[in-house]
């Protein structure tokens, strides 16, 4: 395979492979708090829609992020205000060859479940 530039590597390598693309978050229908996962203890935490706190909670549900696949940036994508769905955009980077870093973006969809 010879040497390739970063632009060509971006087309050939999918660093998003193995990362969750669909997940579910749970929201209380009464007080509108969100269920934060965490080992044996689950906590209900307040978070406004599209807040930093909610983004952090959603990221806890994303599997596959690690030291090799680094999260560079994350943010919400627009969804209908009353939909039972949240979408976030992740920007990832990974070193694929010695010294060559590839950056790619992907979307993760979250279904809002209620109790």
């Amino acid at each position: 395979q010879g040497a390739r530039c970063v632009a060509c590597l971006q087309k050939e390598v999918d660093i998003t492979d193995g990362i969750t693309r669909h997940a579910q978050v749970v929201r209380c229908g009464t007080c509108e708090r969100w269920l934060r996962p965490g080992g044996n203890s689950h906590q209900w935490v307040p978070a406004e829609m599209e807040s930093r706190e909610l983004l952090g909670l959603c990221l806890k549900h994303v599997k596959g992020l690690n030291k090799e696949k680094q999260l560079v940036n994350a943010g919400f994508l627009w969804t209908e205000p009353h939909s039972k769905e949240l979408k976030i955009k992740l920007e990832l980077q990974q070193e694929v060859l010695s010294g060559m870093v590839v950056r790619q973006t992907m979307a993760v969809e979250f279904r809002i479940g209620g109790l």
Side-chain angles (χ1 to χ4, degrees), residues 48-67:
E48 296 291 321
M49 291 298 280
E50 298 194 15
S51 67
R52 187 176 183 161
E53 293 81 12
L54 184 55
L55 183 60
L57 188 139
C58 288
L59 289 173
K60 288 185 182 300
H61 288 277
V62 178
K63 307 288 187 245
L65 298 174
N66 52 41
K67 290 180 182 176

Side-chain angles (χ1 to χ4, degrees), residues 78-95:
W78 187 85
T79 56
E80 289 288 337
H82 297 290
S83 74
K84 294 285 188 188
E85 202 173 74
L86 295 171
K87 292 182 184 178
I88 60 172
K89 178 181 174 181
L90 305 179
E91 184 178 353
L92 309 167
Q93 77 176 21
Q94 180 178 359
E95 187 174 319

Side-chain angles (χ1 to χ4, degrees), residues 11-101:
K11 294 174 187 170
E12 294 175 17
V13 176
D14 182 10
I15 65 172
T16 68
D17 187 44
I19 296 178
T20 303
R21 293 187 184 274
H22 301 278
Q24 181 171 348
V25 290
V26 179
R27 185 179 194 187
C28 176
T30 304
C31 69
E32 298 190 342
R33 291 178 187 225
W34 299 86
L35 184 61
R36 179 187 322 171
N40 296 332
S41 63
H42 296 295
Q43 278 187 305
W44 290 94
V45 294
E48 296 291 321
M49 291 298 280
E50 298 194 15
S51 67
R52 187 176 183 161
E53 293 81 12
L54 184 55
L55 183 60
L57 188 139
C58 288
L59 289 173
K60 288 185 182 300
H61 288 277
V62 178
K63 307 288 187 245
L65 298 174
N66 52 41
K67 290 180 182 176
E68 288 81 37
K69 296 180 183 184
Q70 295 178 342
L71 179 63
V72 177
N73 196 6
F76 286 97
L77 294 171
W78 187 85
T79 56
E80 289 288 337
H82 297 290
S83 74
K84 294 285 188 188
E85 202 173 74
L86 295 171
K87 292 182 184 178
I88 60 172
K89 178 181 174 181
L90 305 179
E91 184 178 353
L92 309 167
Q93 77 176 21
Q94 180 178 359
E95 187 174 319
V96 291
L97 294 174
S98 57
M100 298 199 76
V101 175

